[in-house]
Amino acid sequence: MNNKEIVKLFYEYVVSENRLDEADRYLSANYMEEMCQHLISVRNTYPDYMMSITRQFGDGEYVVSEFVMRGTHSGEFLGITPTNKVIEIKGVNID
């Protein structure tokens, strides 16, 4: 697998399907705990969230991914009361 395929698999499989037990195959030990805590926090806020990669660019060891994250705001986050509305966020990650 090339770097773009690895990054896509991480977001669309490990993150979207909440398979944190497999995260160590994709993350360095330096970022493992912090990233898993972040993913747990997001999952607690948006229990059904999914990430889809819409476009990617690779340059050497770097991968830039455009993504769409969609989920239902069902849990409190930073003091914000759940709205039970579906949100959609578009963004860019650099890995």
Side-chain angles (χ1 to χ4, degrees):
M1 262 191 281
N2 64 40
N3 288 344
K4 291 191 301 186
E5 292 168 329
I6 292 168
V7 169
K8 184 175 175 74
L9 189 62
F10 173 73
Y11 289 115
E12 292 186 350
Y13 175 71
V14 175
V15 172
S16 291
E17 296 186 20
N18 200 30
R19 297 181 170 270
L20 298 185
D21 57 318
E22 298 183 37
D24 62 337
R25 296 175 53 200
Y26 301 89
L27 302 171
S28 74
N30 296 345
Y31 299 103
M32 182 72 177
E33 184 177 337
E34 186 176 306
M35 176 59 95
C36 285
Q37 286 176 357
H38 168 71
L39 294 174
I40 289 167
S41 177
V42 173
R43 181 69 58 191
N44 288 338
T45 305
Y46 308 99
D48 61 345
Y49 88 99
M50 305 268 304
M51 287 185 73
S52 298
I53 301 298
T54 55
R55 189 167 25 168
Q56 289 183 303
F57 304 94
D59 185 10
E61 65 181 29
Y62 294 98
V63 176
V64 178
S65 303
E66 293 179 338
F67 68 87
V68 174
M69 183 275 230
R70 177 178 287 147
T72 307
H73 183 206
S74 302
E76 186 175 318
F77 184 69
L78 300 174
I80 301 170
T81 304
T83 62
N84 295 309
K85 293 182 180 180
V86 175
I87 65 150
E88 183 174 285
I89 298 170
K90 296 178 182 182
V92 174
N93 283 342
I94 302 172
D95 296 288

